[in-house]
Amino acid sequence: MKLRRVFPLILVLYPGLVAIPAAQMPTAPESPPLEPLRLGDPAPPLVPNTWVLGDAAAARPREGSTLLLEFWATWCPTSRTLLARQDSLLAARPRSDLRIVAVAPEEPTHLSRFVAEAGWSRLAIASDPAKQVIEAFVGAATRLDPQ
């Protein structure tokens, strides 16, 4: 019964949502075309707003080491579980050449409290509320050249 009352309302509202003339729709500014990335090209710069845990040294390239860059959010249960396991992995292998940098698009104060409550100590965690790092890397990934 309730579905019958809601359904006509949706039909009435829907035409109004699509009735905006295309000439009035805002358009995104055009940006210059970006060159595709190729295997071996340098990664975009990793310069977050604030380091909450660790520092920029964790993100610098080092010969023979592996850097895992993780994009995450405090609200995501999968991210929280994954980072907890990664912190434990680094604790179990203190001499490992693996470095993990986790970048979250959240404010430093909120992120600091969250990391302190989680008890993580071996990850490098960065705050990127402006999403500059995230956009640089996601944009780079969309420009990959398959050759």
Side-chain angles (χ1 to χ4, degrees):
M1 182 74 94
K2 289 183 181 180
L3 183 59
R4 288 184 183 179
R5 290 182 186 168
V6 172
F7 190 69
L9 179 63
I10 292 171
L11 291 176
V12 170
L13 290 176
Y14 182 73
L17 292 175
V18 295
I20 300 170
Q24 295 177 4
M25 295 295 292
T27 58
E30 290 196 27
S31 42
L34 298 169
E35 290 295 317
L37 292 178
R38 291 182 175 76
L39 189 61
D41 284 354
L46 180 55
V47 186
N49 182 38
T50 305
W51 289 97
V52 173
L53 183 61
D55 57 24
R60 286 193 198 110
R62 286 191 293 212
E63 188 68 32
S65 67
T66 301
L67 174 67
L68 174 64
L69 182 58
E70 188 76 50
F71 295 107
W72 72 292
T74 58
W75 55 262
C76 176
T78 304
S79 293
R80 294 191 308 258
T81 300
L82 182 63
L83 288 177
R85 290 181 178 174
Q86 290 173 345
D87 191 68
S88 296
L89 172 71
L90 294 176
R93 301 172 192 268
R95 297 177 203 261
S96 171
D97 288 330
L98 174 64
R99 293 171 296 131
I100 300 171
V101 176
V103 180
E106 300 179 36
E107 294 297 328
T109 52
H110 170 72
L111 204 51
S112 294
R113 280 193 307 270
F114 183 87
V115 169
E117 288 174 13
W120 301 334
S121 61
R122 291 157 189 89
L123 303 166
I125 298 183
S127 168
D128 184 31
K131 300 180 184 163
Q132 293 173 335
V133 173
I134 294 167
E135 288 175 8
F137 277 85
V138 170
T142 61
R143 298 190 321 266
L144 286 176
D145 187 351
Q147 298 178 8

